[in-house]
Structures are given as C-alpha cells and as structure tokens.
C-alpha cells in the first residue's frame, strides 16, 4: 500500500505515477483509518482538548483532503472513463464517511465541551475560531437531528453529491461531443474570423483526421465565431448547440432537467430538516450576508442603479444592428454586433489587442505585480505534472526562502472541464514534522499555441489569469498555521472573491500593462494610443453585463429561496420571471441556460452566486486604497497581504476588510469603476 502515490504525504503529489486503479485502495485505506480514529476519540474517557482531540481529527482530515484533491483535480483536467468511474465510486464513499462524521453526536459533544471549558480562552484566537466553526458545522451537518431522521439526512447528502457530479459530467460530455466541420469548398463561410482562429480550426480538423476546419463549443473555438464570423448561419448553429447543452434539446442521456428538479427538492428537504425555511437560509448561515432579504435588497439596489445604463447600452446595440442590416437582431448576433460597434466606437478589436499578449510576457507581468506589491519572488520550478501543458512554480520571500508553490494549466483541451478555477492542493499548516507549505492549482481554458506562435491571450483572458491568481494568493500567502482556517478555508463564501476581483484591477493600469506586452511579430510594446482606446472602451456595455450578473444572482436566490421545487413552476419559469424584472436582453425561448449553470448545481455557489457582486463591492473599495497611495504601492500591498491574505479564515471577512481599509465597504467605488457613478 505504501507504494500507492496517493498515500504519499511528505512532499508534492506524484502526478506522473497516479493511475485510476490507485484511487479506491488509497481512499478505502484513509477512510478506514479515519473511522478507526473517530471510534478511538469518541469513546475516549480523557477530557477533550485541542491537542488530544481537535488536532488529531484535523490531521486525518488533512490527509484525506490532500489525497482527494489530487483525484478531483485529475478528474477535471485529464478526464477518462476509468478515472471518472473511480472518482464517482469514491465520491460516494467520501460522502458517506463525511455524513457519518458530521452526524456523530459523540464528537459534537466533545467539541462543545472544549468550547464550554475554562481552557477555551487559553486557545489562540485561530483555534477558538476553528472550534466555533466545528460546533456550527455539526449543527448544519445534522448532528442534532433525531436518530430516525439522520439516515434520511445522510441519504440526501449522498444523493446530492451524486447528482452534482452527474450534472457536471453531462455538460462536459455534451461540450466535448459537439463539433462542426467547415470543408474547404465552404471556406467563404469563415469570412471575418481571425487568422489564428482559422488556423486553430484547421489544426483541430487535422488532429481529428478530417479535412477542413473543425469548430467546437470549447471557448477558444466558440467565442471567435460569436464575435467575428460574418456567416450568420454559422453563428446560429454554434449558439444553438451551446445554449441547449445538457438539455432535452440535446441527447437524452445528457439532459440535466430532471437533475435540476431533484437537486432543488433535496436541498429544500435538507434545509427544512435543519429548521430553515429554505436552502437560501441554510446557505447564508456560513456567509457574510445574514438573510435572503438582505441579499435581495443588495441586488435590487444594484439593479436600480445599473438598469438605466443597461437600457441605454441595449438601445445603442439595437440601433447599430439596424445599420448592419440586422433589424431582427437575435441572440447569436449580439456578440458579433457588439464587437462591430466597439470597433467603430473605439477603433480597435479584441483580436488586435490579443497580438500584444503572448503567454510569456503576460505571466512575467503578473508575477512582477505580485512581487512588487507583496514583497515575494515567483520563479519556475520542477515537479511531476499530469499533462505536458502543465507547469510548476515556486513563490519565495525576500530572503529566498520558499513560502508556497503552484501548478499552472492554461489551455483548453478535450476531456478537460471548461472555465477557470483555483483549487487547493496542499494547505499551509504547522505539523510535528515542521511547516507544511501551501500548494495551489490554477487552471484556465485559453487558446493553446497555434503553428509556431506562442499562446496569445485576449485582454479578457489576461484579466481571468489575474483573477484566478488572486484566489491562489489568498491560499498561498496565508500566515495561518491551523488547517481549518488556513488560506481560503473558513472564509465566508461571499468574501472569497475579494482577492481575485481585486487583482483584476491591475489589468487596467498603464504602468502594469505596458510592461507585460510584446507584439507577437514585431516585439513592440502595446502603444499608449491603443491602451487609451481600451480604457475608453472599458465600460462598454457595463450596464448590460451588470444586470446579466444580477439576473443570474436573483435566479439563484429565488430557486433556493421562496421557489417551491415540488410546485408547478420550473427553473425555466423562474428565470423568465427574473428576466421580466431586470433583463434588457432576452434569449430565445429554447435557450436552456439553467441546464449548464454548473456554479449553482455542481459547484459551491448554490444560493451564493450573488457573491461575485457582493465581493466586487469589497474588491473595488479595497483597490481604491491603491488608487490613493499608488498603483504598485508596497505600503498598500503590505497592508492587503497582512490584513486580508495572511489572515485566511481565522477571523470574519468584514473584520479583515475594516482592518485593511479602516472602515466598512461602500458601493461607490464599484459603480465608479463600472462607469455608473452619480
């Protein structure tokens, strides 16, 4: 068993050795070890303390979490039938173990005993926070339920885990399955598309043993078609395929409709069993926001401020569509018309800007910002990886001592989950053997290098890179040494986007951007004139984009709030109602957006999607200190690192924000950044 790479805990993961057949033996072994420990601790007659009880559970939790993070990661980035089967089998075992743990009244009683003991005040504030979180989480995990309800509560947890995994798989399978071949004789169908998009489509066709140009629903293939293709029929074809993914309008085996209904019913039942009226109330029990009403008021206030700007954006778009002889502008025309309008208004295109952002310069620029404001160094290092596209980096302090590491996997490919994300590989904590340094995964789905050119990123992709790196810094620059609240652990979900959205601001600063650009052919720096156009266009359609995020957020809160999943209305009815209130752009009736809304049905954002806007208020206001003290101010950077990043989940996010900013947050900076100030 010791040869199993998933049971290797003394260093970095052995990604070059992990195979699907390693997963079950490793997880079985760790769960058996965990169950034995639980019995020993639960039946012990010794008075529970941090050292003899809480720390031992934390040690076991960390080992299991570390092994499973590797499994979950490779399942997301190099998915295969064997890997998927092993992942799902063991996901059920882990959910089962987790439910048993969460409902164990003996452990719950011992945590409460520590909390109530005279020695509680002698624990560090961080340790007190962990104990308080544990007591809260036992309540939310069903530990106080009557014995006859615990089995049902556990069954719900297991079923939700299974359904969420299936929801994500259906989207991945549908996305990977769809391709559209344009043959050489139809080459005029590609008019308007950028050269690199055409070259990528030609390479995709060759890789699939086909002749012509192969397009897919992966973003690097899909987005250029929606933005640039003159061929309206091609845009409609791809839009229809994308907008109906994982629905009854695609293949029946991928239809997420019934999964949505089942997930919502189970979440409501789970919340009701714990004494909450709905899942939204349960979700907010661990967040900054207190009640669904408070969230709704926040979103409605933002909607009232943003909607006039959104309506103005829409009127301008419709008028321009008529100039393009698209008087009946449809959903598949919106990206195309918007790009044409932007080019006319600001005299540049995304494609023009993209030529200045080769991967190497972007990464160097990102690392330079990080090094300057946070006083660290970032350099490439060596470690086993799961795919040739992935790479590995070390972060060290000013004395050249390593403080963290991260993996980077930037390109879209088959059998890789869409989107961009950061996840924890190893969490910083003090162990008997010394200090365990944090390790992060940073994953994106950008265009890979084409031909002999390096990978080129759009400005949006550059912003995404900074966003995910912000999450990574939250995990990697923590100074907390206890596992339960180290890095992003224990951070309220509606504050977790603060560092990520904060980092995005640097992508709009000339002194940052000019040094991370070099034209792919000439090597020339981004011209100031082009940058000024980008700034002028920064808030192009900001009103429409804001109400779109509010639409998703309200939809999420309504579904998990007052909506009755056992009633006559469906999720599609709910999103229609929300669009009646806030949307200025209505997709076709056959659009099945809910069926691929994995954030809330397969991710951690159920009754929490509002977090993006909530945290954007925090991040915009946090960045305003840099606007006051200097964009690359090491003084402001040091304060942000010490009061926000370093503290992790060891104290409430609002306390960290106030310690950094000197006051509570205000919505003004967000509105100003989006061109919607008074």
């Amino acid at each position: 068993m010791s040869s199993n790479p998933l049971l290797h805990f003394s260093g970095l993961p052995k990604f070059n050795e992990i195979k699907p057949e390693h997963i079950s033996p490793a997880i079985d072994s760790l769960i058996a070890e965990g169950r034995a420990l639980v019995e020993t601790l639960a039946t012990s007659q010794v008075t529970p303390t941090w050292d003899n009880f809480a720390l031992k559970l934390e040690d076991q939790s960390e080992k299991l979490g570390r092994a499973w993070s590797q499994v979950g990661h490779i399942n997301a980035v190099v998915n295969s039938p064997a890997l998927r089967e092993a992942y799902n089998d063991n996901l059920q075992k882990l959910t089962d173990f987790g439910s048993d743990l969460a409902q164990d009244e003996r452990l719950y009683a011992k945590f409460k005993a520590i909390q109530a003991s005279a020695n509680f005040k002698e624990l560090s504030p961080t340790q007190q926070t962990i104990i308080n979180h544990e007591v809260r989480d036992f309540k939310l995990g069903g530990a106080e339920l009557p014995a006859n309800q615990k089995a049902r509560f556990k069954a719900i947890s297991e079923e939700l885990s299974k359904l969420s995994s299936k929801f994500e798989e259906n989207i991945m399978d549908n996305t990977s399955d769809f391709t559209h071949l344009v043959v050489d004789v139809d080459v005029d169908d590609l008019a308007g598309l950028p050269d690199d998009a055409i070259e990528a489509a030609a390479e995709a066709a060759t890789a699939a043993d086909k002749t012509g140009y192969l397009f897919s629903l992966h973003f690097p293939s899909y987005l250029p078609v929606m933005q640039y293709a003159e061929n309206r029929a091609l845009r409609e074809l791809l839009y229809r395929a994308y907008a109906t993914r994982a629905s009854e309008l695609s293949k029946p085996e991928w239809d997420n409709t019934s999964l949505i209904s089942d997930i919502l019913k189970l979440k409501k039942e789970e919340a009701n069993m714990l004494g909450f009226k709905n899942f939204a109330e349960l979700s907010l029990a661990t967040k900054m926001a207190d009640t669904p009403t408070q969230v709704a008021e926040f979103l409605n206030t933002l909607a009232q401020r943003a909607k006039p700007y959104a309506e103005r954006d829409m009127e301008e778009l419709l008028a321009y569509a008529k100039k393009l002889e698209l008087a009946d502008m449809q959903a598949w025309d919106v990206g195309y018309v918007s790009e044409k309008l932007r080019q006319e208004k600001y005299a540049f295109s995304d494609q023009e800007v993209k030529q200045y952002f080769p991967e190497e310069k972007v990464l160097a620029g990102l690392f330079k910002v990080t090094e300057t404001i946070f006083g660290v160094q970032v350099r490439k290092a060596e470690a086993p990886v799961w795919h040739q596209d992935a790479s590995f980096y070390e972060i060290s302090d000013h004395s050249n001592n390593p403080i963290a590491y991260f993996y980077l996997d930037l390109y879209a490919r088959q059998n890789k989950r869409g989107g961009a994300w950061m996840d924890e590989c190893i969490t910083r904590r003090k162990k008997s053997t010394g200090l365990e340094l944090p390790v992060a995964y940073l994953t994106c789905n950008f265009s890979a290098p084409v031909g002999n050119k390096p990978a080129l990123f759009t400005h949006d992709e550059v912003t995404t890179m900074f966003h995910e790196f912000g999450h990574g810094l939250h995990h990697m620059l923590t100074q907390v040494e206890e596992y339960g609240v180290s890095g992003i652990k224990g951070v309220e979900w509606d504050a977790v986007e603060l560092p990520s959205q904060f980092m995005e601001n640097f992508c709009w600063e000339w002194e940052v951007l000019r040094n991370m650009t070099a034209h792919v052919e000439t090597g020339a720096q981004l011209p100031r004139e082009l940058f000024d156009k980008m700034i002028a266009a920064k808030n192009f359609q900001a009103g429409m984009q804001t109400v779109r995020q509010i639409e998703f957020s309200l939809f999420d809160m309504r579904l998990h709030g007052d909506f009755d999943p056992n009633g006559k209305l469906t999720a599609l009815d709910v999103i229609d109602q929300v669009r009646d209130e806030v949307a200025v752009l209505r997709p076709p009736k056959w659009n099945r957006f809910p069926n691929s809304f994995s954030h809330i049905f397969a991710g951690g954002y159920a009754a929490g999607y509002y977090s993006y806007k909530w945290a954007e208020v925090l991040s915009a206001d946090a960045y305003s200190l840099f606007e006051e003290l200097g964009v690359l101010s090491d003084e402001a950077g040091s304060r942000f690192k010490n009061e926000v990043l370093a503290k992790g989940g060891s104290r409430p996010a609002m306390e960290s924000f106030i310690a950094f900013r000197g006051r509570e947050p205000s919505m003004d900076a967000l509105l100003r950044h989006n061109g919607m100030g008074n």
Side-chain angles (χ1 to χ4, degrees), residues 6 16 58 65 77 98 152 155 202 206 232 243 396 402 413 458 496 498 503 512 533 594 631 655 669 672:
L6 289 169
N16 55 330
E58 201 158 81
V77 295
R152 175 59 189 159
T206 302
R232 195 182 190 194
S396 55
R413 58 177 175 264
T458 65
V496 87
L498 163 58
M503 285 296 291
V512 171
K533 291 175 183 176
V631 168
E655 282 183 28
R672 176 168 52 80

Side-chain angles (χ1 to χ4, degrees), residues 554-567:
L554 283 172
F555 170 61
D556 169 40
M557 287 305 289
R558 299 258 177 98
L559 272 190
H560 293 104
D562 295 334
F563 172 69
D564 179 6
N566 296 296

